[in-house]
Amino acid sequence: MQQKQPVSLGPLPALIFSSRWLQLPLYLGLIVAQGVYVVLFIKELWHLVHGAISLSEQDIMLLVLGLIDVVMISNLLMMVIVGGYETFVSRLRLENHPDQPEWLSHVNASVLKVKLAMAIIGISSIHLLKTFIEVGGLGELPFCGTADAFAAAEMASAAQSKLKTCTTVTQIGVLWQTIIHTVFILSAIGIAWTDKLMQNDNHKAKAAAH
């Protein structure tokens, strides 16, 4: 079978097509951000290990959820870096690599968009779960930054107590976070439904052409 010769582009099309490499510094910057999240993960993990005996069950749970949050954001970064580079810049040529991600073999702009939407929902779920855990302090603990919160912190310090003395959660904040999470879910459903309709149209067009 004769191998196809590469197409020779004119000066303007070649310039426009080569402009995709302008995205390379963006993906390299995301790799740096990935390294920052590794440092953040190690920092949070140290806090968890260091306070394993003195921290309350709720504080440990919040720290663990924070670690999961960092991991999920890191996964999101990897999807954007690997999938975005493969889709919009250049082929990575990982076809025979043993560690090739399963989803990368059929990635395109639509698939990447749906996967990113699902990852954002996962991250939002972790934040909402952390908020729900802290909801128990509503009405019992003063809001952080207020005079009552400083007074409670001084009393806890005098008593050498390590219990939480204030909360950053409000009823309106919980409500809005729940609404935003619902909007994320509806947006992901809309993206997936639109992608499915476009795929059905493409299949019908190919069937009609044959």
Side-chain angles (χ1 to χ4, degrees), residues 153-175:
E154 290 178 358
M155 292 177 60
S157 178
Q160 295 184 346
S161 173
K162 294 186 178 181
L163 295 177
K164 194 172 183 180
T165 58
C166 66
T167 180
T168 57
V169 178
T170 63
Q171 292 181 352
I172 296 178
V174 174
L175 176 63

Side-chain angles (χ1 to χ4, degrees), residues 9-210:
L9 298 177
L12 183 58
L15 175 64
I16 294 174
F17 187 58
S18 298
S19 67
R20 72 191 189 281
W21 289 102
L22 292 174
Q23 293 192 26
L24 180 59
L26 307 182
Y27 291 111
L28 294 177
L30 289 180
I31 294 174
V32 175
Q34 181 87 295
V36 173
Y37 266 99
V38 172
V39 175
L40 178 61
F41 183 89
I42 295 174
K43 178 182 174 182
E44 293 296 321
L45 183 61
W46 169 250
H47 288 161
L48 176 63
V49 174
H50 184 67
I53 298 176
S54 58
L55 291 174
S56 65
E57 181 182 358
Q58 178 176 336
D59 290 334
I60 291 176
M61 193 179 303
L62 289 173
L63 282 172
V64 171
L65 288 175
L67 293 176
I68 296 173
D69 187 32
V70 172
V71 171
M72 295 190 71
I73 294 177
S74 182
N75 291 340
L76 177 62
L77 280 171
M78 282 308 303
M79 270 193 273
V80 174
I81 294 169
V82 178
Y85 183 90
E86 174 86 11
T87 304
F88 300 109
V89 180
S90 181
R91 296 289 183 185
L92 292 171
R93 296 179 175 83
L94 299 176
E95 287 75 12
N96 297 321
H97 197 283
D99 294 329
Q100 179 191 7
E102 183 274 332
W103 55 270
L104 191 60
S105 60
H106 53 269
V107 71
N108 54 45
S110 298
V111 172
L112 188 61
K113 190 163 49 178
V114 173
K115 287 188 176 293
L116 292 180
M118 297 304 296
I120 291 172
I121 290 175
I123 294 169
S124 177
S125 300
I126 295 297
H127 281 268
L128 193 59
L129 181 57
K130 290 170 65 176
T131 300
F132 285 162
I133 292 174
E134 294 183 350
V135 160
L138 282 176
E140 300 177 4
L141 298 177
F143 192 73
C144 294
T146 61
D148 292 339
F150 288 122
E154 290 178 358
M155 292 177 60
S157 178
Q160 295 184 346
S161 173
K162 294 186 178 181
L163 295 177
K164 194 172 183 180
T165 58
C166 66
T167 180
T168 57
V169 178
T170 63
Q171 292 181 352
I172 296 178
V174 174
L175 176 63
W176 274 110
Q177 195 168 348
T178 305
I179 292 173
I180 292 171
H181 180 69
T182 304
V183 171
F184 281 153
I185 294 175
L186 293 176
S187 299
I189 293 173
I191 292 172
W193 179 254
T194 304
D195 182 58
K196 183 178 180 181
L197 291 178
M198 292 177 62
Q199 288 182 355
N200 290 337
D201 290 342
N202 290 335
H203 289 325
K204 290 180 180 178
K206 289 180 180 178
H210 291 300

